[in-house]
Amino acid sequence: MRRSLIFFILFLVACLALKAQDPAYYKNQVSTNLLLPVLGSADIAYERILGGKFAIGLGAAVYGEPFEDFTIDDSYQGRFLRTKNEIMPFARIYFNGNQKKSHFLEVLGSFSRVDESGRLIRSVNEEGNGVYDIGVRSYTRGGLGMGYGYRFLLVDDKLVLEAQLGLRTNFDVNFIVLNAALVRTGIKIGYRF
Protein backbone atom coordinates (compact mmCIF):
# COMPACT_ATOMS: atom_id res chain seq x y z
CA MET A 1 0.00 0.00 0.00
CA ARG A 2 2.80 2.37 0.90
CA ARG A 3 4.67 1.61 -2.35
CA SER A 4 1.51 2.19 -4.37
CA LEU A 5 1.03 5.56 -2.73
CA ILE A 6 4.66 6.54 -3.40
CA PHE A 7 4.41 5.43 -7.05
CA PHE A 8 1.15 7.34 -7.43
CA ILE A 9 2.74 10.54 -6.03
CA LEU A 10 5.82 10.09 -8.26
CA PHE A 11 3.52 9.54 -11.24
CA LEU A 12 1.64 12.79 -10.47
CA VAL A 13 4.91 14.73 -10.07
CA ALA A 14 6.19 13.34 -13.39
CA CYS A 15 2.93 14.29 -15.13
CA LEU A 16 3.08 17.82 -13.74
CA ALA A 17 6.72 18.15 -14.80
CA LEU A 18 5.86 17.02 -18.34
CA LYS A 19 2.90 19.38 -18.41
CA ALA A 20 5.19 22.28 -17.43
CA GLN A 21 7.49 21.45 -20.35
CA ASP A 22 4.69 21.40 -22.92
CA PRO A 23 4.19 24.60 -24.89
CA ALA A 24 1.24 26.65 -23.74
CA TYR A 25 -2.11 25.78 -25.24
CA TYR A 26 -4.26 28.88 -25.59
CA LYS A 27 -8.02 28.51 -25.94
CA ASN A 28 -9.22 32.15 -26.05
CA GLN A 29 -8.45 35.11 -28.26
CA VAL A 30 -9.64 38.72 -28.26
CA SER A 31 -8.87 40.93 -31.26
CA THR A 32 -9.74 44.21 -32.96
CA ASN A 33 -9.32 45.67 -36.44
CA LEU A 34 -6.61 48.34 -36.69
CA LEU A 35 -8.04 49.93 -39.87
CA LEU A 36 -11.60 50.66 -38.70
CA PRO A 37 -10.73 53.57 -36.33
CA VAL A 38 -9.36 55.44 -39.37
CA LEU A 39 -12.94 55.31 -40.74
CA GLY A 40 -14.56 56.34 -37.44
CA SER A 41 -15.63 52.78 -36.62
CA ALA A 42 -14.72 50.07 -34.13
CA ASP A 43 -14.99 46.31 -33.75
CA ILE A 44 -14.08 43.57 -31.31
CA ALA A 45 -14.03 39.79 -31.70
CA TYR A 46 -13.78 36.87 -29.29
CA GLU A 47 -12.62 33.44 -30.49
CA ARG A 48 -12.74 30.11 -28.63
CA ILE A 49 -10.60 27.15 -29.71
CA LEU A 50 -12.57 23.91 -30.01
CA GLY A 51 -9.99 21.39 -31.18
CA GLY A 52 -6.75 21.07 -33.07
CA LYS A 53 -7.92 23.01 -36.14
CA PHE A 54 -11.32 24.49 -35.31
CA ALA A 55 -12.56 27.61 -33.54
CA ILE A 56 -15.80 29.54 -33.13
CA GLY A 57 -16.29 33.15 -32.22
CA LEU A 58 -18.43 36.24 -32.07
CA GLY A 59 -17.60 39.65 -33.50
CA ALA A 60 -19.35 43.01 -33.19
CA ALA A 61 -18.83 46.21 -35.12
CA VAL A 62 -20.16 49.78 -34.93
CA TYR A 63 -19.74 51.80 -38.10
CA GLY A 64 -19.32 55.58 -37.98
CA GLU A 65 -20.21 58.22 -40.52
CA PRO A 66 -16.87 58.15 -42.44
CA PHE A 67 -17.31 54.39 -42.89
CA GLU A 68 -20.88 54.89 -44.08
CA ASP A 69 -19.74 57.42 -46.67
CA PHE A 70 -17.02 55.04 -47.81
CA THR A 71 -19.22 51.94 -48.17
CA ILE A 72 -22.83 52.20 -49.21
CA ASP A 73 -24.18 48.66 -49.06
CA ASP A 74 -26.55 49.01 -51.94
CA SER A 75 -28.45 51.50 -54.01
CA TYR A 76 -31.54 50.72 -56.03
CA GLN A 77 -34.58 52.69 -57.23
CA GLY A 78 -33.25 55.88 -55.58
CA ARG A 79 -32.81 54.21 -52.17
CA PHE A 80 -29.57 53.72 -50.25
CA LEU A 81 -28.82 51.06 -47.62
CA ARG A 82 -26.20 51.78 -44.94
CA THR A 83 -25.13 49.34 -42.25
CA LYS A 84 -24.93 51.02 -38.83
CA ASN A 85 -23.78 48.09 -36.66
CA GLU A 86 -23.66 44.32 -36.79
CA ILE A 87 -23.04 41.15 -34.81
CA MET A 88 -21.18 38.35 -36.58
CA PRO A 89 -20.94 34.78 -35.27
CA PHE A 90 -18.21 32.85 -37.10
CA ALA A 91 -16.48 29.49 -37.34
CA ARG A 92 -12.89 28.98 -38.49
CA ILE A 93 -10.72 26.14 -39.70
CA TYR A 94 -6.94 26.58 -39.40
CA PHE A 95 -5.00 24.62 -42.02
CA ASN A 96 -1.79 24.31 -39.93
CA GLY A 97 -3.53 24.00 -36.57
CA ASN A 98 -4.78 26.72 -34.25
CA GLN A 99 -1.64 26.84 -32.06
CA LYS A 100 0.67 27.79 -34.98
CA LYS A 101 1.00 30.44 -37.65
CA SER A 102 -1.61 29.40 -40.16
CA HIS A 103 -3.91 30.17 -43.07
CA PHE A 104 -7.57 30.02 -42.11
CA LEU A 105 -10.97 29.88 -43.74
CA GLU A 106 -13.96 31.44 -42.00
CA VAL A 107 -17.72 31.05 -42.41
CA LEU A 108 -19.77 33.81 -40.82
CA GLY A 109 -23.29 34.98 -40.20
CA SER A 110 -24.36 38.60 -39.90
CA PHE A 111 -27.15 40.35 -38.04
CA SER A 112 -26.98 44.03 -38.96
CA ARG A 113 -28.92 47.20 -38.26
CA VAL A 114 -29.56 49.03 -41.53
CA ASP A 115 -30.87 52.48 -42.46
CA GLU A 116 -32.67 52.66 -45.80
CA SER A 117 -33.00 56.25 -47.05
CA GLY A 118 -35.20 57.52 -49.88
CA ARG A 119 -38.11 55.27 -48.92
CA LEU A 120 -41.80 56.15 -48.59
CA ILE A 121 -42.63 56.16 -44.88
CA ARG A 122 -46.21 56.22 -43.60
CA SER A 123 -47.03 58.28 -40.53
CA VAL A 124 -50.22 59.57 -38.92
CA ASN A 125 -50.78 63.33 -38.67
CA GLU A 126 -52.64 65.21 -35.89
CA GLU A 127 -56.01 64.68 -37.56
CA GLY A 128 -55.46 60.91 -37.61
CA ASN A 129 -54.91 60.68 -41.35
CA GLY A 130 -52.17 58.58 -42.88
CA VAL A 131 -49.46 60.65 -44.56
CA TYR A 132 -46.66 59.38 -46.79
CA ASP A 133 -43.30 61.09 -46.94
CA ILE A 134 -39.84 60.17 -48.16
CA GLY A 135 -37.64 59.30 -45.19
CA VAL A 136 -35.38 56.76 -43.53
CA ARG A 137 -36.51 53.31 -42.44
CA SER A 138 -34.37 51.36 -39.94
CA TYR A 139 -34.54 47.59 -39.68
CA THR A 140 -32.49 44.49 -38.91
CA ARG A 141 -31.39 42.00 -41.54
CA GLY A 142 -29.26 38.90 -41.70
CA GLY A 143 -26.59 37.66 -44.03
CA LEU A 144 -24.01 34.96 -44.69
CA GLY A 145 -20.39 35.24 -45.75
CA MET A 146 -16.91 33.78 -45.97
CA GLY A 147 -13.45 35.00 -45.15
CA TYR A 148 -9.85 33.99 -45.74
CA GLY A 149 -6.77 35.12 -43.88
CA TYR A 150 -3.41 34.39 -42.31
CA ARG A 151 -2.55 34.57 -38.62
CA PHE A 152 0.92 35.40 -37.29
CA LEU A 153 1.77 34.53 -33.67
CA LEU A 154 4.31 36.74 -31.87
CA VAL A 155 5.69 37.18 -28.32
CA ASP A 156 5.54 33.58 -27.07
CA ASP A 157 2.45 32.95 -29.26
CA LYS A 158 0.35 35.33 -27.14
CA LEU A 159 0.23 38.33 -29.49
CA VAL A 160 -1.77 37.80 -32.70
CA LEU A 161 -1.49 39.68 -35.98
CA GLU A 162 -4.01 38.75 -38.67
CA ALA A 163 -4.59 39.81 -42.25
CA GLN A 164 -8.09 38.94 -43.42
CA LEU A 165 -10.50 39.47 -46.32
CA GLY A 166 -14.19 38.71 -45.77
CA LEU A 167 -17.31 39.13 -47.90
CA ARG A 168 -20.96 38.75 -46.95
CA THR A 169 -24.32 38.85 -48.68
CA ASN A 170 -27.28 40.44 -46.92
CA PHE A 171 -30.82 39.13 -46.78
CA ASP A 172 -34.02 41.03 -46.05
CA VAL A 173 -37.43 39.69 -45.11
CA ASN A 174 -39.03 41.30 -48.18
CA PHE A 175 -36.41 40.38 -50.74
CA ILE A 176 -32.88 39.11 -51.12
CA VAL A 177 -30.22 41.75 -51.67
CA LEU A 178 -27.43 40.05 -53.53
CA ASN A 179 -24.70 42.52 -52.81
CA ALA A 180 -21.26 41.68 -51.54
CA ALA A 181 -20.08 43.84 -48.65
CA LEU A 182 -16.64 43.73 -47.03
CA VAL A 183 -16.80 42.56 -43.40
CA ARG A 184 -14.12 41.42 -40.96
CA THR A 185 -11.58 42.72 -43.48
CA GLY A 186 -8.30 44.36 -42.55
CA ILE A 187 -5.30 44.05 -40.26
CA LYS A 188 -6.21 42.78 -36.80
CA ILE A 189 -4.25 42.65 -33.59
CA GLY A 190 -5.20 40.44 -30.68
CA TYR A 191 -4.20 38.65 -27.50
CA ARG A 192 -4.42 34.92 -26.75
CA PHE A 193 -4.94 33.54 -23.25
Side-chain angles (χ1 to χ4, degrees), residues 67-81:
F67 184 85
E68 292 171 20
D69 293 337
F70 178 69
T71 61
I72 295 176
D73 283 347
D74 198 12
S75 61
Y76 61 95
Q77 299 174 357
R79 301 178 193 160
F80 298 99
L81 299 175

Side-chain angles (χ1 to χ4, degrees), residues 137 139-141 171-175:
R137 176 181 162 227
Y139 58 94
T140 302
R141 69 178 178 183
F171 302 101
D172 187 11
V173 293
N174 300 326
F175 55 89

Side-chain angles (χ1 to χ4, degrees), residues 64 69 93 138 140 170 178:
D69 293 337
I93 181 170
S138 295
T140 302
N170 292 317
L178 295 175

Side-chain angles (χ1 to χ4, degrees), residues 115-189:
D115 285 349
E116 181 180 6
S117 61
R119 183 178 178 93
L120 282 177
I121 305 294
R122 185 180 188 279
S123 60
V124 179
N125 63 10
E126 293 139 5
E127 290 85 29
N129 298 324
V131 178
Y132 288 91
D133 196 10
I134 293 177
V136 177
R137 176 181 162 227
S138 295
Y139 58 94
T140 302
R141 69 178 178 183
L144 295 173
M146 292 189 75
Y148 173 79
Y150 190 83
R151 179 174 74 176
F152 299 92
L153 300 176
L154 310 165
V155 188
D156 296 330
D157 295 341
K158 287 185 178 183
L159 185 65
V160 177
L161 189 62
E162 291 180 350
Q164 183 177 0
L165 174 67
L167 295 171
R168 69 142 155 73
T169 298
N170 292 317
F171 302 101
D172 187 11
V173 293
N174 300 326
F175 55 89
I176 297 174
V177 181
L178 295 175
N179 65 324
L182 290 174
V183 294
R184 297 186 48 78
T185 298
I187 306 297
K188 298 179 182 182
I189 189 164

Side-chain angles (χ1 to χ4, degrees), residues 27-31 45-47 151 160 162 191-193:
K27 291 190 174 214
N28 302 297
Q29 175 180 316
V30 178
S31 61
Y46 170 77
E47 181 179 326
R151 179 174 74 176
V160 177
E162 291 180 350
Y191 179 75
R192 297 186 345 143
F193 56 97

